[in-house]
Amino acid sequence: MSWVRDFREFANDTSAHGVKYIFEGPYKLVKLLFLITWLGFSIYACHVIITSIITFIQKPTSTKFEVIQEMDTKFQNKPERIEFPTISVCSMNKVKKSYIEAKENFAIREYYEIIDQYNEELIGDIAKRFDDPEDHMHGIKDMLYEDLIANGGPTKDRLLKCQQRGRYCQQLPAFVNDPSRISIMENSFTGKCWRVNPDGKLMGKMGDYGSLKLMFWADVQDYSTRSADVENQGFVVAFHDNQTYGVTMSAGFLMSPGTYYKADLRRKQEIRREDKIESCDPALIENTYGSYNEGSCALECKDKALDAACGCVNVVPPLNNGKYKSCTLEKWVKCGLKTYMEWYRNYTDTERADKFCPCSTACKEVRYEAQISSSSVSPAYAAGIFPGVQAIISEPQYGYSKPEFDILYNTTDDILKNVMVLEVLFTSMRTSEIREIINYDMSNLLGDIGGVLGLFLGASLFTILEFLQFVAFSVAKYCFNVGQPKHSPLDGEKGSI
């Protein structure tokens, strides 16, 4: 057969070793052994090559840990400063007693104490009362749920003190031009939060040299019945970058009044491969809750479910830009709360087979890891500051004591029960970075392919080109008669004329 002859010529001329012995062996048994061996090695080489290509397409990754730092030219041995996190401090007193027990808010009090129990039977009863013009509940039906949280939560002045290096924050370069940016108040579904250093402008040094000290007043006597009748009181504190909002943090540190807390921070950032979709989606950078993360994704999923069913949400997100509106108290009872409870059941159901609110991880996240230590506020300290603050906490005109609600602060014991001090400092000036890297790239693929070809077949990339050329010429020659000598009628048998 002419094709066999062509393949024999290819075997003799190819750069791959061993193929020619299939045709040139001294005995048929030797030829057969070479053929079987060559076929076995070829099959195994194909298996390794295909596996390597699949591995390359899947882009397996590993993590690389390193410490990075930004250094000023004047400080070649260590970084000059480090960026302080934004600190979210959320009160566990969602709605104050002095707000819902005010005479003008008696309907709000009844409404809140019912809906905060998340009892569907009670919710159904109160929904009917909104339709009765004679019922006092009818008068608050158009009030926004967000206004209930905003008006009923703690006030900004309960952040009593902010100091760094013995200087009040109003005197620091980060806030001297606009002291109002020391902290702002943020509304959330769980209550109101202080957002300290909201713009991320505050800088610090390692250790006590750059620590930030905050003091809060808990107002424990102003806790409503629904807030006081729980296992704990105080604040939930979270540390994050200024593009993230505390409401999106999946966990925080519980801090009780009467305690001095010290938070030792270390700044970390995680960077994932943008070209590996299983790791992160580079298109997900920001949403209505600031920087994209799994927490903000879940909250936006909740808002989409509420907006689709009710046309409103409980509390509008921080970067709303007109996308959502807050539900009225009537709308929240008739639609919003039931929708939220259904969403919550689905989201927390660990037995669901399908994904509910699928959320990818962020491609880049900045985290502040904290180690918390604490001790009780010193009675001597409370006794020392009491003479200077007695008039402020005891006189009703300052807003701390409210005799009409049986809220009276006039002893050092009241200071010990209400003051919470938080000192924040860094244990290192450097940032720890965890970076996701692809550990099987093109060089690994070419190395594996070249290794298996060379070891088992004695071949190289040029051998592949030779084989492709042989296949192309063979197909052209035997399938399309390209290159075959054509028969002419003038051609005859050789002889004399």
Side-chain angles (χ1 to χ4, degrees):
M1 294 179 61
S2 55
W3 184 85
V4 176
R5 183 179 64 251
D6 291 345
F7 188 75
R8 185 194 299 269
E9 294 177 359
F10 168 76
N12 289 328
D13 297 335
T14 184
S15 57
H17 306 293
V19 182
K20 63 180 181 180
Y21 296 111
I22 298 175
F23 300 96
E24 295 183 356
Y27 305 103
K28 290 184 177 180
L29 180 59
V30 174
K31 294 180 180 179
L32 179 61
L33 289 176
F34 267 101
L35 176 61
I36 294 174
T37 303
W38 185 81
L39 289 175
F41 285 169
S42 298
I43 293 172
Y44 179 75
C46 290
H47 167 72
V48 172
I49 292 172
I50 293 174
T51 303
S52 300
I53 293 174
I54 293 175
T55 302
F56 174 76
I57 294 174
Q58 292 176 342
K59 297 181 179 179
T61 57
S62 61
T63 54
K64 177 183 179 182
F65 177 84
E66 61 182 352
V67 177
I68 61 174
Q69 57 181 336
E70 295 180 1
M71 294 187 296
D72 191 89
T73 55
K74 297 181 296 182
F75 298 88
Q76 296 296 333
N77 59 336
K78 62 180 180 179
E80 180 183 7
R81 57 186 184 175
I82 190 167
E83 179 182 325
F84 256 90
T86 296
I87 306 170
S88 292
V89 181
C90 301
S91 173
M92 299 187 67
N93 186 18
K94 189 174 180 179
V95 179
K96 299 178 295 185
K97 177 177 72 173
S98 59
Y99 176 73
I100 60 174
E101 290 189 1
K103 292 181 179 179
E104 65 273 16
N105 293 333
F106 70 98
I108 294 176
R109 175 182 180 179
E110 186 176 359
Y111 173 87
Y112 174 72
E113 290 184 349
I114 292 175
I115 66 165
D116 201 49
Q117 298 180 51
Y118 296 91
N119 187 312
E120 295 190 16
E121 293 182 2
L122 296 177
I123 293 172
D125 293 338
I126 200 172
K128 297 176 182 177
R129 297 176 58 186
F130 276 113
D131 299 327
D132 184 3
E134 303 298 325
D135 196 302
H136 58 266
M137 204 67 70
H138 183 78
I140 63 170
K141 68 174 186 176
D142 294 328
M143 179 181 180
L144 298 180
Y145 183 86
E146 183 167 14
D147 290 340
L148 170 62
I149 301 297
N151 298 332
T155 53
K156 186 178 180 181
D157 60 0
R158 267 40 179 184
L159 171 56
L160 303 178
K161 185 170 67 174
C162 174
Q163 284 183 320
Q164 187 184 44
R165 305 188 307 276
R167 300 167 63 190
Y168 288 101
C169 290
Q170 294 89 331
Q171 303 170 337
L172 298 175
F175 308 118
V176 67
N177 294 326
D178 189 2
S180 65
R181 301 305 292 177
I182 294 174
S183 71
I184 59 175
M185 298 303 290
E186 173 189 344
N187 291 331
S188 71
F189 182 48
T190 57
K192 290 181 69 175
C193 305
W194 289 268
R195 187 172 163 85
V196 183
N197 188 31
D199 303 320
K201 294 182 178 180
L202 184 64
M203 298 293 173
K205 290 279 191 178
M206 181 185 69
D208 296 331
Y209 305 105
S211 65
L212 176 70
K213 187 177 292 186
L214 306 171
M215 181 183 292
F216 293 88
W217 184 265
D219 258 338
V220 294
Q221 292 187 32
D222 204 6
Y223 268 52
S224 62
T225 303
R226 295 296 306 164
S227 299
D229 193 21
V230 293
E231 295 89 343
N232 45 59
Q233 297 176 350
F235 309 91
V236 176
V237 179
F239 307 96
H240 50 84
D241 67 287
N242 68 303
Q243 299 298 321
T244 304
Y245 288 81
V247 68
T248 67
M249 305 299 289
S250 57
F253 297 95
L254 180 64
M255 297 188 177
S256 301
T259 310
Y260 188 107
Y261 291 93
K262 188 176 182 181
D264 299 325
L265 301 184
R266 190 175 183 91
R267 191 174 187 268
K268 290 189 174 184
Q269 65 182 25
E270 298 178 7
I271 301 177
R272 301 175 180 88
R273 295 288 304 199
E274 296 185 2
D275 54 353
K276 183 175 173 62
I277 196 65
E278 294 85 355
S279 295
C280 69
D281 187 348
L284 301 175
I285 301 174
E286 187 180 78
N287 56 24
T288 56
Y289 285 92
S291 294
Y292 178 86
N293 55 47
E294 293 175 83
S296 67
C297 174
L299 289 178
E300 191 164 47
C301 175
K302 179 260 299 179
D303 286 346
K304 289 179 179 178
L306 287 171
D307 189 60
C310 310
C312 59
V313 298
N314 43 18
V315 176
V316 296
L319 304 182
N320 185 43
N321 297 324
K323 186 174 183 179
Y324 302 111
K325 63 179 182 179
S326 179
C327 293
T328 62
L329 299 187
E330 179 184 23
K331 194 72 172 179
W332 182 245
V333 165
K334 291 185 176 181
C335 178
L337 193 53
K338 293 180 180 179
T339 303
Y340 170 76
M341 292 171 66
E342 181 182 359
W343 176 88
Y344 181 81
R345 284 192 295 267
N346 289 328
Y347 183 73
T348 57
D349 184 6
T350 57
E351 304 299 324
R352 287 180 64 96
D354 59 322
K355 289 185 178 181
F356 187 81
C357 290
C359 293
S360 175
T361 52
C363 290
K364 182 177 180 180
E365 289 185 273
V366 176
R367 300 179 183 270
Y368 291 87
E369 292 189 351
Q371 292 182 333
I372 307 294
S373 57
S374 65
S375 66
S376 299
V377 173
S378 168
Y381 171 80
I385 67 172
F386 179 71
V389 301
Q390 181 181 9
I392 297 175
I393 65 174
S394 61
E395 295 295 332
Q397 64 264 31
Y398 294 104
Y400 290 85
S401 290
K402 300 170 184 176
E404 67 272 26
F405 302 108
D406 295 326
I407 301 174
L408 298 171
Y409 301 117
N410 53 18
T411 67
T412 56
D413 190 53
D414 291 324
I415 293 179
L416 292 173
K417 289 180 178 179
N418 285 275
V419 166
M420 188 276 285
V421 181
L422 172 62
E423 183 181 4
V424 184
L425 53 89
F426 283 95
T427 58
S428 174
M429 295 286 287
R430 293 164 177 80
T431 297
S432 299
E433 181 180 276
I434 299 176
R435 182 181 294 270
E436 186 180 41
I437 59 174
I438 293 179
N439 54 20
Y440 195 88
D441 55 13
M442 180 61 73
S443 61
N444 298 110
L445 176 64
L446 295 178
D448 286 348
I449 293 177
V452 73
L453 288 177
L455 179 63
F456 291 98
L457 300 177
S460 65
L461 292 179
F462 284 104
T463 308
I464 298 176
L465 295 178
E466 293 173 356
F467 180 74
L468 294 177
Q469 175 182 281
F470 168 75
V471 172
F473 286 173
S474 297
V475 170
K477 179 178 180 180
Y478 295 105
C479 296
F480 300 101
N481 291 325
V482 176
Q484 290 272 30
K486 296 183 178 180
H487 178 73
S488 172
L490 296 178
D491 295 337
E493 294 181 1
K494 290 184 180 181
S496 58
I497 300 178

